[in-house]
Amino acid sequence: MTMVEEPATTAPAREVGQSRKRKEDARLITGKTTWTDNMVLPGMLHLAVVRSPVAHAKIANVDVSAAQQAPGVIAVFTGRDFAEEQGSIPCAWPVTPDMVNPGHPSIAVEEVNHVGEAVAVIAARSKAAAMDAVELVDVDYDQLPVVLDMEAAVAEEADLCHDHVESNESFAFVFDAGEAGTGVDTEQVFADAEVVVSRRFVQQRLIPAFMEPRAVVVQPQGDNYTMWSSTQVPHILRLMLAMVTGTPEHKLRVIAPDVGGGFGGKLQVTPEEVISLLVAKRLGKPVKWAETRSESLMSAHHGRDQIQYIDIAADREGNVKGLRCRILSDMGAYLRLVSPGIPILGAFMYVGIYKFPAYRFECRGVFTNKTPTDAYRGAGRPEATFAIERIMDELAVELDMDPLELRRKNWIGAEEFPFTTAAGLEYDSGDYEGATQQALQLLGYDELREEQRRRRESNDPVQLGIGFSTFTEMCGLAPSRVLGSLSYGAGGWEHASIRMLPTGKVEVVTGSSAHGQGHETAWSQLVADELGVPFEDVEVLHGDTSISPRGLDTYGSRSLVVGGAAVVNAAAKVVAKARKVAAHLLEASEDDLEFANGSFAVRGTPGATKSIQEIALATFAAHDFPEGVEPSIDADATFDPVNFSFPHGTHVCAMEVDTETGRVEIRKYACVDDVGTIVNPLIVEGQVHGGLAQGIAQALYEEAVYDADGNLTTGTFVDYLVPSAADLPHFETGHTVHPAPGNPIGAKGIGEAGCIASTPAVVNAALDAVRHLGVSDIRMPLTPERVWRAIHQGGDGGDRATAGTNAYGGAQTETTAGVATDASALGGDR
Amino acid sequence: MTQINVRVDGVSYSDDVEPRTLLVHHLREQLGKVGTVVGCDTSNCGACTVHLDGVAVKSCTVLAVQADGSEVTTIEGLAQNGTLHPMQKAFHDSHGLQCGFCTPGMIMASIDLLTENPSPSETEIREGIEGNLCRCTGYQNIVRAVQQAAAEMSGTQDRTVGNGHVSLAVVDTAAAPHVAGAQS
Amino acid sequence: MIPAPFAYVRPTTIDEALQAVADGGEDVKIMAGGQSLIPVMRLRLAAPETVVDLGRVTELRGVRDDGDAIVIGAMTTHHDVLVDPLVAQHAPLIAEATETVADRQVRARGTFGGALAHADPAGDLPAVALALDAEFVVAGPGGARRTVPAADFFVDYLTTALGEGELLVEVRIPKLAGQWGMHYEKFTRVAQAWPIVAVAAVVRRENGAIAEARIGLTNMGPTPLRASAAEAALAGAAATPDGIAAAARSAAEGTSPSSDLNAQADYRQHLAQVLTRRAVTAAAGL
Ligand SMILES: Cc1cc2nc3c(=O)[nH]c(=O)nc-3n(C[C@H](O)[C@H](O)[C@H](O)COP(=O)(O)OP(=O)(O)OC[C@H]3O[C@@H](n4cnc5c(N)ncnc54)[C@H](O)[C@@H]3O)c2cc1C
Ligand code: FES
Ligand code: FES
């Protein structure tokens, strides 16, 4: 169907709330965009990174002579070559004053601490020549004991992951509501409790697996360097590169062209970015590094990987009394940009939507000889949501209560907002009951419950279960004040500028850097409404530190609620400035002017109007300007929110479980989210779908698995299972709207909600299907084997065998996964 | 080096290539057809999908020498005379893309599916694009896009132009009809 | 990744191909659809000196009727097998299994012969060939032909009876006389994937009983296997759910499956039983 645009003569409808199709699509559906790996510069050299095939070893010797002589190779560098200038990959979030940071060289100098760590880099005239030479670098490793299991790593006399630190613990962070004055004494509550339920949940290690592999191009020009990188955070990257390598900040320009997804995985300052800059500096030539997928899976940071020990206290009537969480969080081998902060972002969300009088959270950050972990969609909040939504189901079982009834009894009522939780956060707005009612309808709850009963009675081999997740999350990172109190290294503001061009067109510069979220469209809608200019007349610029010098980029569902708010505020300033000019031109008092639909009109004087676009031209000419006013109506704004925003919603999953094989299949999925004011329903719906897919994938498909030697055996897309269209259900989605009071748009973030909410709904549904068979937990991902074992052998399904599957004769090789051992080499133990 | 002649998006090219050069690298690096991208090294993701003599293939799993004498269509060759292919338009209309990295391959695979099965069911669409991974969209809007394109291409839907390409030189950004406006 | 360098030969006849293989040096690889070989070369698990591409050997392509058998050329693509009327008529099991192989792009190039010569224990087609008692026609140096029964073709993990200098020309699928039913039951975690375990069942019914059953197992050991114990138990068994279920319990006898990310050996053996029951039930038309 072809849509015809509204004729311009009628008063324009408000843009906010319209399902505008996206501006950015034009270049993406035609193959006419710029991915970093598309860049070609004259004289450009190609880099290939030589990576460690062992998880923990001293580097005895690196022999690069053969590689240096290989055809097309210009130079080969090892860690020693850059030891003086490479510094350490920065960690911007020391979550405790005594946090241990072992330091993270971009290229290993003396020791390697995980498979895939860089040990040398080759610069060659072609990509093929660089890759060919990788095999010629000969490294001698003196192997050291490998630390992989977190519980073992924190036990007495554990082997050490780094031998220059005293233990495998990086930090121990505690939040205690009693001590903080936001709740009562947790220990007392547990001592007095009628019912206590305790569980150990495992948040498996995940890989963000953005579809565009990472790539970096660096161009040296004199003492200036321009870096193109497929990053979520060009501004943070520029600052950190300056600090790490000593390159003056004003000599660095970072550009994030179109970026093919990030999901937190490109919220990083990577070793490869530092290496590329150092090589470009050293050789004075443009360089490009573009990773392969197997390189990406093993060396780009991973996510989640926590063990959660959760205790919940309640009375027999089902009133929750206290929550105690002890978390082990796997940092991997090193601390990257915000590794330690990830579990802490969840620290305040374990209480979920419930009115707990008491709450205590303890988290230990643990080193292991694995790829470092860091942000992955939701970052800390999916872990918290999973824990609380799972334990609520367990408590319901213990109390023999309906899981929804238990939730209802304890959640915050719609009339109780704003509500301060035991974790000390002030939830802004919402109606949990309303969202739940709508979700039940979307699912067709009563019918499915009936079918479940029938299947149970007839002992059907395929059982049905229904699972809930009534969640909230905190997003819109973040009030700078709060980040400061949590020792985060930066603020949480966002910046915007609006430039009024002489022809009346508008340039909006935003500091948040999009990679699929549709900023160009949504920001245009915001500005069109604020300035009363046509949507088409707005151009949104982002992702280049020269064009958009101030910004804190895109993550934590912050773009609209912080960055969009900055845009709205900048627009208000433009209008205020234009008002002065309009008053002058219309020879009226400012107070008599009314601004609507893009024009200033003099109240009571029909026909006396000036459009803001006319004023833009008048400002350009500046021939007739008010005395003492500078000839510009452009404006900047920086928005620092006073609070987070708290989207919420109810997700319901109906799941079929084949009890004979353990195979699970989502029968139906319905969710109702409240994300405050919706600027663009089309984009919001897309964000929900994408988040659901990733949350469901955590529940059912994805896991980064290491074998006993520390090889990543899910090292390709053959074994790291990103679901396809055929593996996911149709989603029924709905919305309620309770505007966020904390920003001028009223929006709450939507980027992570689907991912945060869905995982526990799916697992709860599977458990609900087989609970009557004696199953009380199944570890994620719910592989058919685990489900089958849980049903037929008890327990949570246990560990998976670690050998890669035998596709391609076992795609695990020295190049993809590290050392070929009996368990990993051939594909399958045989 | 082996000499090959390949017609890509309507233009004939004659080049010397190393036998080990993958078709996708030939397209991207030698011919500058960077609209087609690479997302994996195990032939799983489908990001590199092009049409080789009219049939969708993963161009990372074809050697450039194998394409000698063949006709290749990439995402860049779909729009004709400035008008989008109905599949491109449908992806835009249905918000079937977010970051857009999987999109070229997704569109090429979807067109191939409709060539064989002009009116697929939802399940057939989902299975028809099982060789293409998307990390952003959760696929639902991609399925919707393929349904729209199927309707459009088989002429069952009201359209201003005949089968094939719809006349829309630039993408329009009018509100999508299928998503309700925000309730308050 | 990019494959290591190699020399490339593109013959147009079987004789030229055999010659090219003979001349190709120590480490020569035949390439059919390349859908297994190219990924393996990209990962540099294989780095052949010479690649002999059969893509232009047209005589290796297509399906023909040969009286008591249908003959599928080694270079017939998965896609062409899927739409072939002879296959649909005489060996629907092959089409059913082929439909589950990979995805449409891979099926457009991957070949029937390549999938069999690759002998991946997780490949879908070897067990099917085994269950259908297929015969493999092999050409050797100088053009000599020999025929290898399916039972002898799959020798070990990724290893077939194909000797040095030999290539697979075509596969004969004997036509079945009588009232036969077939079904391929594949178990995966995600759609576009090799099976964790799969069962190919070919069943002849006579007077309400199962007269004969041939059962091929995928991924239950280093080679595809026949579930001989279950076949024996099924011969003469009542064509009822209980009769089939009882016989299927012996489906995993004599298997030695591997343990990997998707399944440990004991679970694979369990799956073999369940899937055999389901496959035979469907094949028997119940
Ligand atoms: C993403 C993906 C998913 C897949 N999923 C599945 C699946 O679910 N099930 C499944 O069964 N397969 C699957 N495959 C494999 C696919 O079926 C391959 O096409 C097939 O296994 C190999 O066929 P080919 O023609 O591509 O052979 P090639 O890759 O060209 O060759 C494979 C091997 O056979 C040898 N060979 C080929 N032809 C001959 C011949 N005529 N004579 C002698 N030797 C020969 C080659 O030397 C090579 O060693 C998948 C592949 C991919 C890329
Ligand atoms: S790049 Fe070709 S399938 Fe992934
Ligand atoms: S739109 Fe980003 S991967 Fe599909």
Side-chain angles (χ1 to χ4, degrees), chain B residues 20 31 33 43 46 51-54 62 64 67 84-85 96 108 111 119 127 129 140 147 149-150 154 165:
Chain B
R20 62 161 158 169
L31 308 184
K33 289 275 174 186
S43 311
H51 292 177
L52 181 64
D53 293 325
V62 177
L84 295 174
H85 187 282
M108 298 313 284
I111 292 172
S119 54
E127 284 170 2
I129 55 172
Q140 188 150 319
Q147 284 167 334
S154 64
H165 291 74

Side-chain angles (χ1 to χ4, degrees), chain C residues 133-232:
Chain C
D133 283 338
E135 294 166 347
F136 292 70
V137 180
V138 175
R145 302 273 171 119
R146 65 185 180 110
T147 299
V148 183
D152 298 336
F153 187 75
F154 303 103
V155 175
D156 199 353
Y157 183 68
L158 300 180
T159 311
T160 65
L162 286 167
E164 213 163 293
E166 287 190 323
L167 63 84
L168 177 63
V169 174
E170 59 197 19
V171 181
R172 293 172 56 84
I173 313 289
K175 292 181 187 169
L176 295 169
Q179 201 199 346
W180 289 85
M182 311 176 180
H183 184 71
Y184 189 66
E185 186 78 24
K186 174 169 173 171
F187 192 80
T188 58
R189 286 184 61 207
V190 293
Q192 174 233 48
W194 286 260
I196 297 171
V197 173
V199 175
V202 184
V203 172
R204 182 163 62 85
R205 283 184 61 177
E206 227 173 58
N207 311 324
I210 290 173
E212 189 183 347
R214 304 183 196 160
I215 297 165
L217 302 177
T218 299
N219 223 359
M220 289 299 292
T223 64
L225 297 171
R226 285 281 284 262
S228 338
E231 289 180 359

Side-chain angles (χ1 to χ4, degrees), chain A residues 132 135 292 658 660-661 663 700-701 727 784-785 788-789 799-801 803 805-806 809 813 815 826 829-830, chain C residues 1 39 43-45 122 157 187-191 194 219 258-264 266-267 270 277-278:
Chain A
D132 290 348
E135 293 169 9
T292 65
D658 180 341
E660 290 182 335
T661 63
R663 195 181 154 85
L700 300 185
Y701 301 120
D727 307 310
E785 177 174 20
W788 175 77
R789 281 193 200 285
D799 287 325
R800 299 161 71 185
T805 61
N806 45 16
T813 67
T815 22
L826 263 183
D829 295 321
R830 60 173 67 80
Chain C
M1 284 288 287
L43 295 168
R44 302 213 176 179
L45 284 162
Y157 183 68
F187 192 80
T188 58
R189 286 184 61 207
V190 293
W194 286 260
N219 223 359
S258 61
S259 288
D260 63 26
L261 287 166
N262 285 332
Q264 295 172 48
D266 62 328
Y267 175 60
H270 166 75
R277 191 193 78 221
R278 291 181 182 178

Side-chain angles (χ1 to χ4, degrees), chain B:
Chain B
M1 289 282 179
T2 307
Q3 210 206 22
I4 60 167
N5 299 297
V6 190
R7 209 173 150 76
V8 182
D9 296 335
V11 179
S12 298
Y13 298 88
S14 186
D15 288 275
D16 289 331
V17 297
E18 265 194 284
R20 62 161 158 169
T21 307
L22 304 174
L23 177 58
V24 70
H25 289 138
H26 178 60
L27 292 171
R28 286 178 57 81
E29 283 153 27
Q30 232 159 337
L31 308 184
K33 289 275 174 186
V34 290
T36 303
V37 295
V38 182
C40 75
D41 40 17
T42 46
S43 311
N44 290 95
C45 77
C48 61
T49 302
V50 301
H51 292 177
L52 181 64
D53 293 325
V55 175
V57 301
K58 294 181 172 177
S59 63
C60 72
T61 320
V62 177
L63 302 174
V65 284
Q66 289 181 289
D68 184 20
S70 291
E71 177 109 29
V72 175
T73 307
T74 77
I75 188 75
E76 296 178 50
L78 276 187
Q80 279 170 19
N81 309 322
T83 64
L84 295 174
H85 187 282
M87 191 65 77
Q88 289 174 305
K89 180 178 174 292
F91 268 68
H92 172 59
D93 287 350
S94 296
H95 190 29
L97 63 149
Q98 289 178 26
C99 79
F101 193 77
C102 70
T103 311
M106 216 37 113
I107 287 178
M108 298 313 284
S110 301
I111 292 172
D112 187 58
L113 168 67
L114 294 190
T115 312
E116 198 164 58
N117 181 356
S119 54
S121 66
E122 174 174 347
T123 307
E124 285 169 337
I125 294 171
R126 288 182 178 270
E127 284 170 2
I129 55 172
E130 68 192 340
N132 294 71
L133 298 178
C134 172
R135 192 60 158 165
C136 297
T137 63
Y139 302 102
Q140 188 150 319
N141 287 340
I142 292 178
V143 171
R144 186 148 57 193
V146 178
Q147 284 167 334
Q148 176 188 323
E152 205 142 350
M153 286 160 76
S154 64
T156 55
Q157 227 189 15
D158 213 19
R159 273 176 307 109
T160 38
V161 229
N163 280 358
H165 291 74
V166 286
S167 73
L168 258 186
V170 250
V171 291
D172 79 314
T173 45
H178 62 274
V179 181
Q183 316 110 282
S184 282

Side-chain angles (χ1 to χ4, degrees), chain A residues 197-203 308 310 312 350 354 382-397 403 406-407 468-470 757-768 771 775-780 782 796:
Chain A
V197 175
S198 301
R199 289 287 184 273
R200 172 184 180 272
F201 298 131
V202 180
Q203 291 285 328
Q308 309 172 305
I310 311 292
I312 189 169
Y350 280 76
Y354 310 110
E383 296 91 313
T385 302
F386 183 86
I388 183 64
E389 289 304 302
R390 279 283 299 110
I391 201 90
M392 287 301 275
D393 265 31
E394 297 303 307
L395 179 62
V397 170
L406 177 67
R407 285 172 166 81
F468 296 98
S469 166
T470 50
S758 54
T759 314
V762 173
V763 176
N764 281 339
L767 285 169
D768 186 51
R771 183 83 68 175
V775 182
S776 63
D777 195 18
I778 309 173
R779 215 188 305 166
M780 297 187 291
L782 271 53
D796 65 0

